[in-house]
Amino acid sequence: MLAADPRLENNPAIAFSTGNNNRNQPTPNPNIQLPADFPPEIPRYPNAQLQEVTQSTTRWTTSDPMNAVQSFYQNELQTNNWDVSQSTQEGILEAQQNGLRVTLAIPATTNQSSTAESNLAGNTEFTIQYTRDTTAAASPSISAETDNVPQPGDADFIGPVPSQQNEQTAQSVDSTGQQTNTPQTFNDTNQAPQELRQYLQDLIALGVLPLQATSKSSAPTTQFEPSKTVMRREYARWLVTANNQFYASSPAQQIREASSSAQPAFQDVPSSDADFPIIQGLAEAGLIPSPLSGSSTTVLFRPDAPLTREQMILWKVPLDTRSSLPNASVEAVQQTWGFQDAAKIEPRALQAVLADFQNSDRSNIRRVFGYTTLFQPKKTVTRAEAAAALWYIGSASEGVSAQEALRLQQSGTSQATSESLSPTTEYD
């Protein structure tokens, strides 16, 4: 009975969880079950309760501190021969094995120095996102099938020479020499909620929702997955692309992409990252918190972490107001929006939430979430919800919608086509 617990040798998390105050243990929700496609090879934290399930993302809560959760997954993944590619003090852990990619995200607290103490006193929330790459296994068979197919230049080749146009190019050049976005085609937009479907369709028609950075070569996809959680790097990419497309004729309103020679604002977004010009550009414009804007503790961007509601509003509203955010308090947000959970919103996001209220029916919160008395600031955002937020940029009195931008784009294309087809020679 007095011998050391042998479990401590292989499971450091027990050292933190044993003796933990059980009265803080979150209550399980019997109505929430793991999705059928949840990979069984992903380790399950023994002291966590499932709180929310979205497409390819699960959210958990435990009364154990965040360092216990991190230690458990670090140990389990390495023991089971996972390739752990990134581990930071901000609570992000990425690993992959046999085409399965897993991202563990533990949202950092506002006071970084007291993270462990605050988590010991309350509950730790973390999300697990998983994606499985099925193209790697398919590629060899496709290659084998085409190895013996005659190619142009062979004596046995019969047929037309394939077009050299790159169908994967995310941008094209119009008749004026200006770069424009080529719309992608997705066959699952009908899976988006009815209230958000038209917003999503308008933005897709504009071509402002690229799923990959333009500098990456990847096979085109026909699946947008509207219910999938949007990542921070994806939303940053869409935010810049939508703004610059809406204000295509107003260079002064556009967000400039950063040069590859710029000193990185974030430690986890180097200049070699495909999305560096956009993320760095947002930081240099002061539109997202970074050391450049005075947020000395925000040294990581966490590009592959899920986007939360408060982050979505914090990044978007400055584009709507085109001015500094107003001073805000929990009481002011409670009086205007009536949010019961206003105290859970970070101070900087409080300012954006209060400014968004002044846009009346044009506000992002009303457009995306409808009427609600709970903001749920830490809840993750789906791709369809992120698209709805970007559908309109501006204030209640002045702005541009995706529908208007699409109409202008179509009229400009028609005019350019008409001019290119205008006769230069008179015919009888």
Side-chain angles (χ1 to χ4, degrees), residues 36-283:
D37 65 342
F38 188 83
E41 54 265 49
I42 298 179
R44 296 272 301 277
Y45 191 75
N47 197 28
Q49 301 294 339
L50 183 62
Q51 299 296 320
E52 181 185 11
V53 173
T54 56
Q55 189 168 358
S56 299
T57 303
T58 56
R59 182 170 63 86
W60 306 77
T61 305
T62 177
S63 58
D64 295 343
M66 67 178 295
N67 54 358
V69 179
Q70 288 177 316
S71 179
F72 170 81
Y73 278 99
Q74 183 84 34
N75 180 70
E76 288 293 317
L77 293 172
Q78 291 180 347
T79 301
N80 291 283
N81 299 320
W82 286 72
D83 181 16
V84 180
S85 58
Q86 180 180 358
S87 178
T88 73
Q89 295 181 352
E90 287 292 321
I92 301 297
L93 183 65
E94 296 181 352
Q96 55 185 350
Q97 183 186 74
N98 299 329
L100 177 62
R101 183 181 179 89
V102 175
T103 301
L104 170 74
I106 306 179
T109 60
T110 302
N111 186 355
Q112 300 293 335
S113 62
S114 60
T115 299
E117 296 177 0
S118 62
N119 284 329
L120 284 170
N123 291 328
T124 298
E125 288 190 357
F126 63 95
T127 60
I128 298 177
Q129 185 191 26
Y130 54 93
T131 56
R132 192 182 295 276
D133 183 11
T134 58
T135 59
S139 298
S141 61
I142 295 175
S143 177
E145 292 176 0
T146 58
D147 282 343
N148 298 323
V149 177
Q151 299 298 317
D154 296 342
D156 297 331
F157 176 76
I158 300 175
V161 178
S163 171
Q164 298 300 315
Q165 180 179 3
N166 184 4
E167 296 179 355
Q168 299 175 18
T169 302
Q171 294 182 332
S172 61
V173 180
D174 61 15
S175 60
T176 63
Q178 182 179 5
Q179 236 179 10
T180 59
N181 298 303
T182 302
Q184 293 176 271
T185 301
F186 302 103
N187 57 18
D188 61 346
T189 55
N190 60 343
Q191 296 179 11
Q194 181 65 41
E195 301 82 6
L196 309 180
R197 194 171 301 167
Q198 190 58 55
Y199 301 137
L200 178 59
Q201 291 172 349
D202 288 345
L203 288 167
I204 289 177
L206 270 173
V208 298
L209 300 179
L211 295 185
Q212 292 92 18
T214 56
S215 60
K216 293 181 179 179
S217 59
S218 57
T221 177
T222 59
Q223 299 291 314
F224 183 77
E225 300 179 278
S227 300
K228 185 177 181 179
T229 300
V230 64
M231 298 295 100
R232 287 163 62 93
R233 74 160 68 242
E234 285 181 324
Y235 185 67
R237 191 187 311 141
W238 297 354
L239 187 68
V240 173
T241 308
N243 178 82
N244 292 354
Q245 182 70 19
F246 284 17
Y247 294 99
S249 59
S250 302
Q253 300 292 336
Q254 295 182 359
I255 302 171
R256 307 295 171 86
E257 295 187 7
S259 169
S260 58
S261 61
Q263 179 66 30
F266 302 103
Q267 296 177 4
D268 55 353
V269 186
S271 58
S272 58
D273 191 293
D275 288 310
F276 172 79
I278 284 177
I279 296 174
Q280 181 74 15
L282 286 170

Side-chain angles (χ1 to χ4, degrees), residues 345-420:
I345 306 175
E346 290 186 356
R348 286 175 299 188
L350 271 174
Q351 297 176 279
V353 169
L354 184 60
D356 192 50
F357 179 81
Q358 300 172 358
N359 273 357
S360 186
D361 289 340
R362 291 289 194 181
S363 72
N364 300 282
I365 294 176
R366 291 188 177 97
R367 182 166 59 254
V368 179
F369 307 117
Y371 175 75
T372 177
T373 62
L374 289 174
F375 182 54
Q376 302 181 75
K378 303 300 187 294
K379 186 175 182 179
T380 57
V381 179
T382 67
R383 286 177 169 178
E385 291 171 340
L390 298 174
W391 185 83
Y392 180 84
I393 298 178
S395 63
S397 58
E398 183 179 2
V400 181
S401 68
Q403 193 175 49
E404 294 168 342
L406 184 61
R407 186 164 52 248
L408 290 173
Q409 184 188 77
Q410 291 172 343
S411 63
T413 302
S414 300
Q415 181 179 358
T417 302
S418 176
E419 292 175 354
S420 64

Side-chain angles (χ1 to χ4, degrees), residues 284-330:
E284 292 184 353
L287 295 172
I288 58 176
S290 75
L292 300 178
S293 61
S295 301
S296 57
T297 59
T298 312
V299 296
L300 297 177
F301 180 73
R302 297 181 293 134
D304 296 313
L307 182 78
T308 64
R309 289 185 171 188
E310 63 182 2
Q311 292 164 358
M312 180 182 73
I313 300 301
L314 177 61
W315 298 2
K316 171 64 167 42
V317 169
L319 286 181
D320 295 326
T321 62
R322 304 283 169 167
S323 62
S324 58
L325 296 176
N327 294 327
S329 62
V330 173

